[in-house]
Amino acid sequence: MSTQFLAIGECMVEMAPTGDGTFAMGFAGDTLNTAWYARKCLPPNWTVGYYTAVGEDNVSDQMLSFLKGSDIDTSAIQKRDDRTVGLYIIQLKDGERSFAYWRSQSAARCLASDRAHLERVLGRAGLIYFSGITLAILPDEDRTAFLDALRKARSNGARVAFDPNLRPRLWEDADTMRACVTEAAGLCDFVMPSFEDELAHFSDPAPDVSADRYLAAGAGMVVVKNGPEEVICATAGSRQTFQPKPVSGIVDTTAAGDSFNAAFLAEFLISGDVAKSVDAGAGLAGRVIRHRGALVDCLEPAQAT
Ligand code: AMP
């Protein structure tokens, strides 16, 4: 099997308030967060790649430099001279964060427009990771082509992992979101939802119901996260639950699910052991949420095995 972990989606410029009226520029995005943590968790014989599209401008170059500096392979990323990267600004009011986005014309929305390139890139990966946000930003035709390319890569031996990450505001309507997410889940080896989203947007009364719904759609294994509550790992023939250790001093739950997914998948790719994988996922997420921000350097690089 190929030892490339490939995450696909949109990385954005993040402008975060510094407290003195200025903003600090960083880079973030759900799939990028998972790639970043996967690089920390996987042994050096695995490469971690990120696939998206960016512009040909200075800010896009800075994003690529950031990814390369994080030991993430950027060689497949497409550059377009007619677009640039998306951006969001975090605003703080009375301690509450709110987000304003400029992403509707971002380059990442074109990541599936070159079908031949997309197929080549997916064809090299051992594990392909994407999310509901990856799907949401694609035009309809490109979304269909993206799912076709995933099916083809999977039939050639790649494994596919998906976090539904339900964000209705990115979709034309909630029914389309539910239909596309269900179709995508059906072609995945791992579907990794957070129950909070599934409750809100599929009205699932309990995490088991989310697991059953994605299994019925065709998912191989469903891993349902639920904040401090039990994690469910279900396949067609088995169901296990695991209680994450309590975490004290939580300051910011940003990227809890993204980091969980990275550590879970990294462990599963190496050991194939579900209990160890949940332990790794919950362990990393538990450390991440004790710090502010999405990308928290709280893990030593993995050793070669
Ligand atoms: P979520 O996506 O919010 O369900 O969280 C993903 C994972 O982060 C969970 O499965 C837990 O391992 C961890 N996590 C999130 N919130 C908490 C919390 N309040 N206490 C302990 N672990 C948490």
Side-chain angles (χ1 to χ4, degrees):
M1 185 182 80
S2 153
T3 50
Q4 190 199 33
F5 184 110
L6 178 71
I8 304 175
E10 178 166 23
C11 178
M12 280 181 291
V13 176
E14 177 190 89
M15 303 300 291
T18 56
D20 63 5
T22 63
F23 290 81
M25 187 168 94
F27 300 101
D30 63 336
T31 47
L32 179 268
N33 299 343
T34 299
W36 194 87
Y37 284 110
R39 178 61 287 167
K40 307 263 174 210
C41 296
L42 281 163
N45 64 315
W46 277 79
T47 56
V48 175
Y50 194 65
Y51 181 60
T52 186
V54 299
E56 288 190 342
D57 51 282
N58 181 267
V59 177
S60 296
D61 288 347
Q62 287 184 55
M63 182 181 283
L64 293 180
S65 298
F66 166 75
L67 295 171
K68 285 182 201 156
S70 306
D71 202 16
I72 292 172
D73 179 10
T74 61
S75 57
I77 292 178
Q78 292 220 294
K79 285 189 158 191
R80 300 183 60 102
D81 60 9
D82 58 340
R83 295 206 176 203
T84 187
V85 291
L87 176 147
Y88 64 94
I89 296 182
I90 303 174
Q91 278 161 324
L92 270 180
K93 192 164 178 239
D94 304 328
E96 284 294 310
R97 297 188 335 151
S98 65
F99 297 81
Y101 289 93
W102 287 262
R103 73 190 304 187
S104 60
Q105 293 298 316
S106 67
R109 291 181 181 255
C110 306
L111 68 84
S113 60
D114 181 342
R115 316 277 198 258
H117 180 71
L118 181 70
E119 277 194 19
R120 271 196 305 277
V121 172
L122 267 56
R124 290 197 286 265
L127 187 286
I128 300 167
Y129 179 86
F130 70 108
S131 79
I133 295 177
T134 314
L135 294 178
I137 62 169
L138 298 179
D140 288 351
E141 275 185 17
D142 287 9
R143 195 183 294 141
T144 304
F146 179 71
L147 295 182
D148 286 344
L150 281 176
R151 281 188 195 93
K152 190 166 175 192
R154 195 178 180 216
S155 69
N156 288 328
R159 286 194 268 184
V160 181
F162 172 56
D163 186 335
N165 234 333
L166 304 167
R167 299 290 177 269
R169 281 204 299 186
L170 289 176
W171 292 86
E172 59 198 82
D173 58 64
D175 284 339
T176 306
M177 173 183 77
R178 285 188 283 263
C180 291
V181 161
T182 302
E183 182 186 356
L187 56 91
C188 291
D189 298 279
F190 306 91
V191 176
M192 313 185 75
S194 291
F195 180 62
E196 190 182 11
D197 285 353
E198 308 302 310
L199 171 66
H201 305 301
F202 277 95
S203 305
D204 291 341
D208 267 324
V209 178
S210 309
D212 287 338
R213 183 169 47 71
Y214 285 123
L215 288 174
M221 177 188 288
V222 184
V223 181
V224 188
K225 298 155 283 173
N226 191 13
E229 309 296 328
E230 283 179 338
V231 175
I232 297 176
C233 294
T235 65
S238 72
R239 183 155 311 207
Q240 294 169 273
T241 55
F242 303 92
Q243 178 59 57
K245 290 195 183 78
V247 178
S248 59
I250 297 172
V251 295
D252 178 7
T253 57
T254 306
D258 304 334
S259 56
F260 179 102
N261 294 348
F264 178 98
L265 290 167
E267 179 59 43
F268 197 89
L269 288 166
I270 302 305
S271 72
D273 184 312
V274 175
K276 279 168 81 174
S277 303
V278 175
D279 209 39
L284 177 58
R287 290 198 291 281
V288 168
I289 62 182
R290 300 182 66 181
H291 300 83
R292 200 160 292 289
L295 305 179
V296 179
D297 223 337
C298 56
L299 194 80
E300 293 300 313
Q303 302 299 311
T305 48

